[in-house]
Amino acid sequence: MRIVIISDTHNKLSQISIPEGDLLIHCGDFCGHGTIDEVARFSEQLAELPHRHKVVIAGNHDWPFERQNAAARAALENVVYLEDSGVSIDGLKIYGSPWQPEFMNWAFNLPRQSRELEDKWRCIPDGTDILVTHGPPYRILDATRFGQHAGCELLRRRVEEIKPRVHCFGHIHEAYGQEKRDGTLFVNASVLNLWYRPQNKPVVVDLD
């Protein structure tokens, strides 16, 4: 299966050249300010893409999914939206979650190193093939331009336990890239750079 991974498009999906594939995964932050209209526009643009399967999670800019969840889900049509939930596609077990350690005053924040955040990650099933989160695990493709590691320590601990084949995320635009550790391919798929310009290419991963 050819998987195309993107993240942090911030209302600029139409400006990005997206390769063909079987499965498109968006790791959150498709909105800018976070409105239902932005969700609806994103949904329309996604519908124009040819991928047979499309999986989406929310990010910290995607406020409607925290504040108006039912309306936001209704506006996001013809995709699989994951929020602390999973789906099986062609035999691949995919799980998605939008949460992150507190990052300014944005959506889906929980206190760093908190029981609440640990409980969210404990919900990730053993046997997950592809883990989709908005934020990165600690010290893996999570360094800000100031050299701070913004990733989640508790998420990294859970990932090391379950060892998914792929863990994809975004959130820290300047940490775009790929890294393989202990059998897991980590992908920061932020397609916009630090200045919100579409600079980075979507990541393509082929899985048997």
Side-chain angles (χ1 to χ4, degrees):
M1 175 183 285
R2 174 151 290 187
I3 304 165
V4 180
I5 308 170
I6 57 176
S7 188
D8 297 84
T9 53
H10 294 287
N11 293 325
K12 295 183 178 180
L13 181 64
S14 62
Q15 299 178 33
I16 298 158
S17 177
I18 299 178
E20 293 185 4
D22 304 298
L23 168 62
L24 176 67
I25 297 176
H26 195 300
C27 306
D29 273 8
F30 40 86
C31 292
H33 298 291
T35 67
I36 291 291
D37 286 345
E38 288 178 325
V39 176
R41 183 163 63 251
F42 171 69
S43 182
E44 291 172 359
Q45 293 170 351
L46 269 185
E48 297 174 0
L49 298 175
H51 306 76
R52 187 161 47 102
H53 305 288
K54 298 165 187 175
V55 170
V56 174
I57 69 164
N60 58 290
H61 279 254
D62 304 322
W63 278 110
F65 289 88
E66 184 168 82
R67 293 174 170 168
Q68 307 163 268
N69 193 271
R73 287 173 182 254
L76 187 60
E77 300 180 313
N78 301 313
V79 304
V80 175
Y81 173 71
L82 298 180
E83 185 177 308
D84 301 319
S85 58
V87 66
S88 180
I89 296 177
D90 289 354
L92 291 174
K93 297 177 181 177
I94 305 168
Y95 187 88
S97 181
W99 301 96
Q100 65 194 348
E102 285 179 326
F103 185 79
M104 306 193 330
N105 189 27
W106 291 101
F108 295 105
N109 275 350
L110 287 172
R112 184 175 289 276
Q113 297 278 28
S114 66
R115 179 62 181 271
E116 296 96 329
L117 196 52
E118 183 177 24
D119 287 345
K120 294 296 183 184
W121 304 140
R122 283 285 160 204
C123 291
I124 304 170
D126 294 340
T128 295
D129 294 302
I130 302 173
L131 176 61
V132 187
T133 59
H134 181 58
Y138 185 62
R139 285 188 172 269
I140 299 179
L141 302 171
D142 73 333
T144 71
R145 62 172 169 166
F146 304 110
Q148 299 169 323
H149 291 282
C152 180
E153 297 90 344
L154 298 174
L155 174 59
R156 177 163 178 177
R157 186 183 307 167
R158 183 61 179 144
V159 169
E160 288 175 346
E161 289 174 350
I162 64 175
K163 293 180 170 51
R165 297 175 68 184
V166 178
H167 180 195
C168 52
F169 46 86
H171 187 43
I172 308 301
H173 294 200
E174 59 268 45
Y176 166 87
Q178 302 178 53
E179 183 175 330
K180 193 157 190 178
R181 296 192 186 197
D182 299 324
T184 296
L185 176 64
F186 294 93
V187 176
N188 182 325
S190 301
V191 293
L192 301 193
N193 64 14
L194 189 59
W195 296 273
Y196 285 69
R197 299 189 185 104
Q199 171 181 301
N200 302 322
K201 294 181 180 180
V203 175
V204 177
V205 176
D206 289 309
L207 288 185
D208 297 329

